[in-house]
């Protein structure tokens, strides 16, 4: 078994390269296959195979893993595509042995040998080049398309990056998992996470925990509401963002060591100060401007502003956004309080003003729960009635799984069935969203009261 179809679409691999200074190096894919191909033709003619064996030995040592993975489309639904290197090695070795032992069949067998090389040329060249770059200790970071990268923990070539003695980066990527795809970096200076607080009030759906885990992200998120208030999330990722990541790391490394501590202290405090100022603006406004990323026809991403009325959602943004910052105190209070006491005082004033609304909204949401439960009961009843009256739909569901064609009548029945089934799913999601929000608000109340005791407010 040679693995599923694996299309290699890159003709170079970027690396963050350290010699005297940091730089971005563009490494062309090395052609390992062509020399082997040429040597095979020569070896069959002369019946001398020692040089060919050495070429194959070197290649097999470079491709030391049993299998390799590669993600063609970073933000699509994940499909595991593997290159089974061990199978490739076995097939090549077996063909070479037969060519040597059966000279009368060497022309036919060498044709098969060349066919295997040609079919897997791009895969072999790409992964062998990647492996070669990994062996060069000057390559601190290597751009790659390895799906589920964070789960691999690649050390120096994966998520951990020592930029300078006191500056470290953790890079997290989860390529090819659809709406769960991501690609971001968390920079820490002397163990202090460098956080972009302004992202919290700039983007509508960003949660505090997302802000804390990320210094800068290299992906774009799109959201859309359905009729039940559920948010559907879509991710856009581009392989070219590796270049932006590496450029960002270089810019941080170039901050003079004597200025570095003040640089990051100013950065954190300014971010927090701006966030509090925007929250104050939100508290005193009927509307608020957020930003979103939209994909243009030419494929470029453009950030555009849009206005949201602060009372048109299940939980008002005034309450959600203001009390969401409690997470920052839990995780980072000892760091961003430095030189920011005025901003902290302003934030506690906002907590005090909004707390009665927090309690009121929790009660309002609890009162909505029976309404959603009633909708769910009705939707499930309609679905079961339809199945009872049209028992064939279960057969059609199996037919759809097998990608078999429907008649016009079957398609109409299946569409009606899926519409009712989707309604059940949507109401279930709406009820789950409501329950999650209630739990979140209850936690806000608890954390706020505990924080008041800690800071004596």
């Amino acid at each position: 078994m040679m693995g599923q179809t694996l299309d290699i679409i890159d003709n170079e691999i970027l690396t963050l390269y350290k010699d005297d200074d940091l730089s971005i190096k563009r490494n062309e894919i090395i052609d390992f296959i062509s020399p082997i191909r040429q040597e095979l033709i020569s070896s069959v003619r002369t019946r001398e195979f020692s040089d060919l064996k050495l070429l194959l030995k070197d290649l097999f040592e470079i491709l030391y893993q049993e299998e390799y993975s590669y993600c063609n489309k970073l933000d699509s639904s994940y499909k595991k595509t593997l290159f089974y290197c061990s199978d490739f090695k076995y097939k090549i070795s077996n063909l070479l042995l037969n060519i040597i032992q059966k000279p009368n069949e060497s022309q036919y067998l060498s044709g098969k040998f060349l066919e295997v090389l040609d079919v897997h040329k791009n895969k072999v060249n790409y992964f062998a080049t990647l492996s070669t770059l990994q062996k060069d200790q000057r390559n601190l970071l290597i751009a790659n398309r390895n799906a589920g990268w964070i789960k691999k923990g690649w050390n120096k070539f994966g998520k951990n990056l020592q930029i300078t003695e006191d500056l470290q980066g953790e890079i997290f990527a989860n390529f090819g998992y659809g709406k769960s795809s991501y690609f971001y970096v968390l920079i820490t200076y002397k163990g202090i996470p460098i956080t972009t607080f302004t992202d919290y009030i700039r983007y509508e759906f960003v949660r505090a925990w997302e802000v804390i885990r990320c210094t800068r992200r290299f992906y774009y998120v799109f959201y859309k509401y359905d009729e039940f208030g559920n948010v559907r999330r879509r991710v856009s990722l581009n392989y070219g963002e590796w270049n932006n990541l590496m450029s960002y790391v270089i810019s941080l490394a170039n901050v003079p060591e004597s200025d570095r501590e003040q640089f990051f202290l100013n950065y954190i405090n300014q971010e927090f100060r701006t966030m509090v100022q925007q929250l104050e603006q939100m508290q005193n406004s009927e509307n608020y401007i957020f930003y979103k990323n939209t994909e243009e026809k030419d494929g470029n991403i453009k950030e555009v502003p849009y206005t949201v009325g602060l009372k048109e959602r299940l939980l008002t943004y005034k309450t959600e956004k203001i009390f969401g910052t409690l997470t920052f105190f839990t995780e980072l209070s000892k760091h961003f309080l430095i030189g920011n006491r005025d901003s902290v005082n302003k934030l506690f004033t906002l907590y005090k003003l909004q707390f009665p609304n927090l309690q009121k909204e929790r009660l309002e949401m609890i009162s909505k729960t029976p309404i959603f439960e009633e909708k769910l009961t009705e939707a499930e009843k309609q679905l079961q009635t339809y199945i009872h009256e049209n028992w064939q739909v279960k057969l059609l569901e199996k037919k759809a799984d097998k990608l078999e064609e429907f008649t016009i009548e079957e398609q109409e029945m299946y569409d009606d069935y899926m519409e009712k089934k989707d309604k059940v799913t949507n109401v279930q999601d709406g009820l789950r969203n409501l329950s999650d929000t209630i739990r979140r608000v209850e936690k806000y109340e608890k954390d706020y009261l505990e924080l008041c005791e800690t800071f004596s407010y």
Side-chain angles (χ1 to χ4, degrees):
M1 181 178 180
M2 299 300 288
Q4 299 178 36
T5 300
L6 188 60
D7 299 322
I8 302 297
I9 61 178
D10 301 310
N11 55 17
E12 66 177 14
I13 299 175
L14 297 179
T15 60
L16 184 63
Y17 186 81
K18 185 172 184 179
D19 199 350
D20 293 330
D21 298 311
L22 282 177
S23 63
I24 299 174
K25 190 174 181 180
R26 316 189 82 90
N27 304 275
E28 292 186 1
I29 303 301
I30 303 168
D31 188 354
F32 291 88
I33 293 298
S34 292
I36 294 174
R37 206 177 189 285
Q38 294 169 3
E39 187 58 39
L40 171 68
I41 295 171
S42 174
S43 297
V44 170
R45 186 176 65 252
T46 62
R47 303 303 299 169
E48 172 54 55
F49 296 96
S50 57
D51 288 344
L52 178 59
K53 289 179 179 178
L54 284 174
L55 283 176
L56 289 175
K57 180 176 179 291
D58 290 342
L59 177 62
F60 289 176
E61 287 178 352
I62 292 172
L63 294 171
Y64 61 90
Q65 293 179 208
E66 288 289 308
E67 60 187 36
Y68 291 84
S69 66
Y70 180 99
C71 186
N72 286 14
K73 189 165 173 54
L74 304 184
D75 53 1
S76 64
S77 296
Y78 179 56
K79 293 181 180 178
K80 193 171 186 178
T81 50
L82 295 173
F83 169 46
Y84 294 96
C85 191
S86 56
D87 292 349
F88 168 77
K89 292 178 182 179
Y90 172 79
K91 197 162 190 176
I92 286 293
S93 301
N94 194 50
L95 281 168
L96 179 57
L97 180 62
N98 283 327
I99 289 171
I100 295 172
Q101 293 180 346
K102 302 174 182 179
N104 292 337
E105 300 179 33
S106 61
Q107 290 301 319
Y108 169 76
L109 292 170
S110 61
K112 288 292 184 183
F113 190 107
L114 294 173
E115 184 179 311
V116 173
L117 291 180
D118 291 342
V119 167
H120 299 285
K121 178 179 179 178
N122 289 342
K123 295 187 281 289
V124 170
N125 286 340
Y126 179 84
F127 290 120
T129 301
L130 184 64
S131 180
T132 301
L133 293 173
Q134 288 175 343
K135 291 178 182 177
D136 188 341
Q137 298 298 305
R138 292 168 297 183
N139 290 319
L140 301 184
L141 185 65
I142 301 175
N144 70 87
R145 293 172 171 268
N146 197 347
W149 181 24
I150 187 174
K151 297 173 184 175
K152 298 286 185 182
W154 275 15
N155 298 321
K156 155 183 176 54
F157 294 107
K159 70 174 188 175
N160 296 322
L161 175 65
Q162 195 71 41
I163 303 170
T164 67
E165 184 177 348
D166 51 21
L167 199 60
Q168 188 178 46
E170 287 186 89
I171 299 158
F172 302 89
N174 201 46
F175 296 147
Y177 288 87
K179 66 181 181 181
S180 299
S181 298
Y182 52 75
F183 178 32
Y184 63 89
V185 62
L186 176 63
I187 302 294
T188 56
Y189 175 71
K190 293 185 176 180
I192 302 173
I194 308 304
T195 302
T196 309
F197 291 111
T198 49
D199 276 359
Y200 181 69
I201 42 83
R202 185 173 181 80
Y203 302 110
E204 184 177 0
F205 299 105
V206 171
R207 302 286 184 201
W209 64 268
E210 293 179 281
V211 174
I212 290 173
R213 74 174 184 172
C214 175
T215 300
R216 182 169 291 190
R217 62 183 185 179
F218 301 91
Y219 60 95
Y220 304 97
V221 180
F222 305 81
Y223 293 94
K224 186 177 180 181
Y225 278 100
D226 65 20
E227 59 181 311
F228 298 98
N230 303 311
V231 178
R232 303 303 182 190
R233 186 175 188 267
R234 176 177 172 263
V235 176
S236 177
L237 274 168
N238 189 316
Y239 181 73
E241 290 297 333
W242 275 108
N243 186 78
N244 294 334
L245 168 62
M246 292 179 181
S247 296
Y248 179 57
V249 169
I250 290 174
S251 71
L252 295 180
N254 287 336
V255 175
E257 187 174 352
S258 58
D259 301 334
R260 201 170 289 152
E261 185 160 336
Q262 192 60 47
F263 173 84
F264 285 114
L265 187 62
N266 291 343
Y267 175 88
I268 292 173
N269 282 305
Q270 183 57 47
E271 283 284 317
F272 184 68
R273 192 175 299 116
T274 301
M275 180 191 71
V276 173
Q277 289 171 352
Q278 292 297 312
L279 287 172
E280 282 187 300
Q281 179 184 326
M282 180 183 289
Q283 170 69 22
N284 299 317
S285 303
E286 291 299 321
N287 299 289
Y288 187 78
I289 296 176
F290 288 106
Y291 289 82
K292 64 180 177 180
N293 299 298
T294 60
E295 194 167 0
E296 304 288 284
K297 290 182 179 179
D298 59 5
N300 292 322
I301 301 295
K302 181 180 179 182
E303 190 176 64
V304 296
Y306 65 101
T307 302
V308 170
L310 294 178
K311 286 186 179 291
E312 64 188 41
R313 302 289 191 237
L314 185 64
L315 178 63
T316 67
Y317 283 117
K318 291 182 182 181
T319 304
E320 178 73 10
K321 282 294 183 181
I322 289 171
F323 282 94
T325 60
L326 289 165
T327 303
F328 297 145
F329 282 93
T330 303
E331 299 292 333
L332 299 165
S333 59
K334 63 181 179 180
H335 303 308
F336 67 67
L337 286 177
I338 302 172
N340 243 332
R341 192 66 184 183
D342 287 346
S343 295
V344 173
N345 289 339
K346 288 178 182 179
L347 188 53
F348 269 89
T349 298
L350 294 177
Y351 290 153
K352 187 175 181 180
L353 287 171
Q354 201 64 27
F355 190 65
N357 291 331
L358 183 71
Q359 295 173 307
K360 177 183 175 183
E361 286 172 1
R362 175 174 56 81
L363 295 175
E364 288 178 353
M365 285 185 291
I366 290 173
S367 70
K368 291 176 184 285
T369 302
I371 299 174
F372 272 80
E373 291 174 339
E374 185 177 331
K375 286 183 179 180
L376 180 58
T377 300
E378 179 60 28
E380 289 176 335
K381 181 180 178 182
Q382 290 178 5
L383 176 62
Q384 292 304 318
T385 299
Y386 189 82
I387 294 173
H388 179 72
E389 294 175 351
N390 304 275
W391 58 268
Q392 303 96 320
V393 294
K394 285 299 182 180
L395 298 177
L396 294 180
E397 199 166 24
K398 293 180 180 179
K399 198 172 180 179
D401 290 340
K402 296 178 181 178
L403 302 179
E404 297 178 7
E405 291 187 9
F406 289 158
T407 65
I408 295 176
E409 293 78 10
E410 287 176 334
Q411 188 65 57
E412 290 178 353
M413 179 182 293
Y414 183 72
D415 289 343
D416 288 342
Y417 166 68
M418 290 305 297
E419 182 180 345
K420 289 176 173 56
K421 189 175 180 181
D422 288 343
K423 186 175 181 180
V424 171
T425 300
N426 289 335
V427 179
Q428 286 174 334
D429 289 344
L431 182 59
R432 190 179 303 112
N433 181 53
L434 180 63
S435 300
D436 290 344
T437 307
I438 292 171
R439 283 194 293 271
R440 192 163 65 248
V441 172
E442 289 173 342
K443 188 175 188 306
Y444 288 157
E445 289 186 63
K446 177 177 176 291
D447 290 348
Y448 168 66
L449 294 173
E450 290 179 354
L451 193 64
C452 285
E453 292 183 8
T454 303
F455 283 85
S456 301
Y457 276 90

